[in-house]
Amino acid sequence: MTTGPTAATRPRNRRQVIVEAAGQVFSERGYHAASMEEIAAVVGISGPALYRHFPNKYALFAECANVIVNKLVEVIDECPPEATLKDVLVAVTRVTVSRRASGGLYRWEARYLERADRRLLRTKFAHVVGRVIELVRREYPLPGEHLRAVAALGVIGSVTMHHTSIAQRRIEDLLLASALGVVATDPATAAGSASLVELPAQPVPRTRRAEILAAAIPLFAQDGFANVTNAQIAQAVGLAPSAIYRHYPGKVDILVAACLQAAGLLAQAVERSLQRATDPRQAVVALAAAYVAYCFEHNALNSVADAEVASLPADLRRPLILAQREHIAVWEQQLRLVRPELDPRQARMLVHAGFGVVVEAGRALRWQDTPGHRDTVTALVTGALIR
């Protein structure tokens, strides 16, 4: 039987090519916004050809979610028993940086996995974290080895959440030094940093519009914007679903209002905290303390703003991205005053590393705002930024 040209030229690694392309699309567009047709177009195949490899979008997404973690488990297991913490972190960093374009789906999109798949993913990550904890405990015997280990991995994982472009070797060196700075940090070094923060209060819902927004935020945070319906939001407020439209033209407008509220609260927190700083180093600590306090105080709001901004149309997303850039620029300026050897892109990379510390440390603490947690996380962020 004669084979056609398509069959003759089909690459043997077609499935791998599909998974790599899909990982990038899911990471950039989100699970719900991405389509099988879009992924097929990126790969350069037809929709039916894609379905020959994967029966549906979920099956493809689930495989994508395991790509990086499987590689991390592999390199962790390849490290000999006598490997140092630096050896292990170098291996983890290289895998993460090389898979940077698709790594963003882990932080937010993995919540769309079914329970069994999510449990398996967590087991694999726990294996990686466990090895790092053992080495942190052995080489840096300070309090909170688990928190310092996950925070260091948060530094490395942060590279998947932004697009700052630097040579790969330089990225690896920056992230490794930052991660080692975290594990070497005594959590007690930022005791009292919370005193540098004066958080603005989240607005009290005094109007029906504000009540709808306040009800929608925890629903978006828990289930994801795409999975929440107007009927659920209306039920939480005690309205008929049709009544929502008297206050918001659509569900996306509620999301925009949430993102704008998050940006405004964070900008106020930063401005107030910097007023208390007397030198650049204290300004960096104040920025870290303000961001940590904001994330603990407004966790649901912050998680929605970070996770769902990609769900917005470009014209609605633009002012939010601009606000984020302005916020990061403040960090860059103060960090470069403390570390003048950094160029703007290097400083930006480290700022995102600090954000990664907050995300992973906060999750490890389950965002429980008990006494000392904010100071502890602020110390770890500072350790990631300032040697």
Side-chain angles (χ1 to χ4, degrees):
M1 177 178 177
T2 303
T3 58
T6 302
T9 58
R10 182 181 299 146
R12 294 183 178 180
N13 66 337
R14 172 61 59 77
R15 187 180 180 92
Q16 178 184 344
V17 170
I18 291 171
V19 171
E20 290 180 356
Q24 294 185 36
V25 175
F26 286 135
S27 183
E28 293 175 6
R29 301 261 293 136
Y31 175 65
H32 287 282
S35 69
M36 294 290 271
E37 290 71 23
E38 180 181 5
I39 294 167
V42 171
V43 178
I45 60 177
S46 66
L50 177 57
Y51 281 103
R52 283 198 292 270
H53 293 275
F54 295 93
N56 52 53
K57 185 169 73 168
Y58 179 81
L60 177 53
F61 178 69
E63 184 154 335
C64 290
N66 280 281
V67 169
I68 295 182
V69 70
N70 285 345
K71 188 63 178 177
L72 290 175
V73 169
E74 179 184 328
V75 297
I76 284 285
D77 289 345
E78 288 175 350
C79 290
E82 65 274 15
T84 65
L85 175 63
K86 183 177 180 180
D87 294 332
V88 170
L89 291 181
V90 165
V92 170
T93 302
R94 286 177 178 167
V95 169
T96 307
V97 174
S98 68
R99 301 279 182 172
R100 178 184 185 184
S102 57
L105 66 86
Y106 284 105
R107 184 153 294 166
W108 303 118
E109 298 305 321
R111 65 185 164 177
Y112 295 118
L113 288 172
E114 295 173 0
R115 182 173 298 179
D117 290 329
R118 191 163 59 244
R119 187 183 303 117
L120 177 61
L121 196 70
R122 287 174 177 169
T123 299
K124 293 176 182 179
F125 274 118
H127 178 71
V128 175
V129 173
R131 181 70 185 276
V132 175
I133 291 172
E134 290 176 4
L135 293 169
V136 170
R137 184 183 296 118
R138 185 176 75 191
E139 298 181 29
Y140 297 87
L142 295 166
E145 63 270 11
H146 179 272
L147 195 63
R148 287 182 288 124
V150 297
L153 291 172
V155 165
I156 296 169
S158 69
V159 73
T160 66
M161 302 306 296
H162 61 95
H163 300 288
T164 303
S165 178
I166 305 177
Q168 181 167 328
R169 182 56 185 271
R170 186 56 177 150
I171 292 176
E172 293 173 1
D173 290 344
L174 276 171
L175 295 180
L176 178 62
S178 181
L180 289 172
V182 169
V183 297
T185 297
D186 184 344
T189 57
S193 60
S195 64
L196 296 171
V197 181
E198 183 185 348
L199 277 181
Q202 191 163 351
V204 177
R206 300 186 186 279
T207 65
R208 185 64 80 184
R209 179 181 170 89
E211 288 176 355
I212 292 170
L213 177 60
I217 288 168
L219 292 174
F220 291 159
Q222 178 178 325
D223 299 324
F225 170 74
N227 289 337
V228 176
T229 66
N230 275 353
Q232 290 173 298
I233 298 170
Q235 182 180 22
V237 186
L239 292 175
S242 59
I244 294 285
Y245 297 102
R246 291 202 293 270
H247 305 279
Y248 291 95
K251 188 174 69 166
V252 72
D253 298 283
I254 304 176
L255 177 58
V256 170
C259 292
L260 289 172
Q261 184 180 99
L265 289 171
L266 181 56
Q268 292 178 56
V270 166
E271 182 179 2
R272 294 180 183 185
S273 297
L274 285 179
Q275 290 174 353
R276 301 186 177 194
T278 57
D279 58 61
R281 186 182 184 89
Q282 192 178 56
V284 171
V285 176
L287 284 167
Y291 188 74
V292 169
Y294 162 78
C295 289
F296 272 87
E297 187 80 14
H298 306 297
N299 178 246
L301 178 64
N302 181 53
S303 67
V304 169
D306 279 355
E308 305 293 359
V309 68
S311 303
L312 296 172
D315 58 327
L316 298 177
R317 188 168 63 245
R318 196 170 296 114
L320 298 168
I321 296 299
L322 179 61
Q324 182 186 53
R325 289 175 179 170
E326 290 175 349
H327 175 233
I328 292 171
V330 175
W331 285 75
E332 285 180 32
Q333 180 185 33
Q334 298 301 328
L335 182 57
R336 293 186 68 208
L337 289 173
V338 179
R339 297 184 57 183
E341 78 278 9
L342 298 173
D343 66 30
R345 288 182 297 175
Q346 292 167 346
R348 197 174 311 132
M349 183 76 61
L350 288 180
V351 170
H352 283 286
F355 296 164
V357 168
V358 180
V359 169
E360 297 306 329
R363 285 180 173 177
L365 294 169
R366 300 183 182 276
W367 300 108
Q368 294 175 355
D369 204 5
T370 58
H373 279 182
R374 292 186 184 187
D375 283 354
T376 295
V377 180
T378 298
L380 297 177
V381 176
T382 306
L385 300 177
I386 306 174
R387 293 198 292 265

